[in-house]
Amino acid sequence: MKAERYEKAFLLLSGAILVVFIGALAFATLGMGIRLPGRSGTVDPNTVRTTPPFDHPGVREVGPNHYEAVVLAQAWRYDPQEIDVPVGSTVTFRVTSADVIHGFYIEGTRVNFMVLPGQVTEETYTFREPGEHRLICDEYCGAGHQLMSGKVVVR
Ligand code: CUA
């Protein structure tokens, strides 16, 4: 019967698409290391400016070729405004907001996440090429939103 043959074909096609999608997912997570930014803790937005490590935002070396960038986002700037790291270094960004929801997008990289007050978001990235990346707030956060930017300099 003709209908049965079509049925078989569609079943096979559906199965094949499923296999391709699961394969793509496995390749992206295991092969390319793409995953969601992690939640690494909570912090009270009212006292964040006096709570370590956000009382001293900035970049520090935490291991060979490994840096930690602690960034406090607030209307309408990042503290620090500029993050300087050597070429080839792996940087773990630990970011939170002191007021409203902001964005944290480093142009030319896959670092792109929301910054939520009360929550610390962690993301790690390796900068293999020298250059300058703009750091952009890509969540509308009020009247000065379009002024909110910083940069990552890789030397
Ligand atoms: Cu901060 Cu838009």
Side-chain angles (χ1 to χ4, degrees):
M1 265 195 341
K2 244 191 180 148
E4 221 171 63
R5 215 168 66 214
Y6 284 134
E7 219 172 327
K8 253 186 205 166
F10 278 110
L11 272 175
L12 274 173
L13 190 66
S14 310
I17 289 172
L18 210 58
V19 168
V20 167
F21 283 177
I22 290 171
L25 205 60
F27 178 71
T29 50
L30 305 173
M32 299 171 71
I34 294 175
R35 73 214 129 53
L36 289 171
R39 175 179 177 165
S40 71
T42 55
V43 61
D44 183 352
N46 298 310
T47 56
V48 66
R49 286 184 183 85
T50 52
T51 308
F54 295 100
D55 54 343
H56 290 104
V59 184
R60 51 195 138 258
E61 198 167 358
V62 290
N65 258 338
H66 192 185
Y67 293 80
E68 180 187 64
V70 173
V71 182
L72 183 62
Q74 54 206 300
W76 290 284
R77 64 191 192 89
Y78 295 103
D79 195 8
Q81 301 260 71
E82 187 177 323
I83 295 164
D84 274 40
V85 289
V87 182
S89 56
T90 298
V91 184
T92 299
F93 296 93
R94 301 188 70 200
V95 191
T96 192
S97 166
D99 39 47
V100 296
I101 295 175
H102 296 281
F104 194 91
Y105 169 50
I106 302 175
E107 222 174 31
T109 73
R110 60 166 172 72
V111 179
N112 187 1
F113 53 81
M114 279 168 101
V115 184
L116 308 172
Q119 185 175 314
V120 182
T121 305
E122 200 178 286
E123 174 70 292
T124 299
Y125 187 79
T126 301
F127 293 89
R128 300 187 197 284
E129 308 279 335
E132 246 185 68
H133 302 266
R134 285 198 299 166
L135 167 61
I136 297 163
C137 177
D138 57 357
E139 291 288 334
Y140 182 70
C141 56
H145 161 70
Q146 75 281 1
L147 305 171
M148 188 166 171
S149 70
K151 64 178 166 180
V152 177
V153 182
V154 187
R155 301 174 203 277

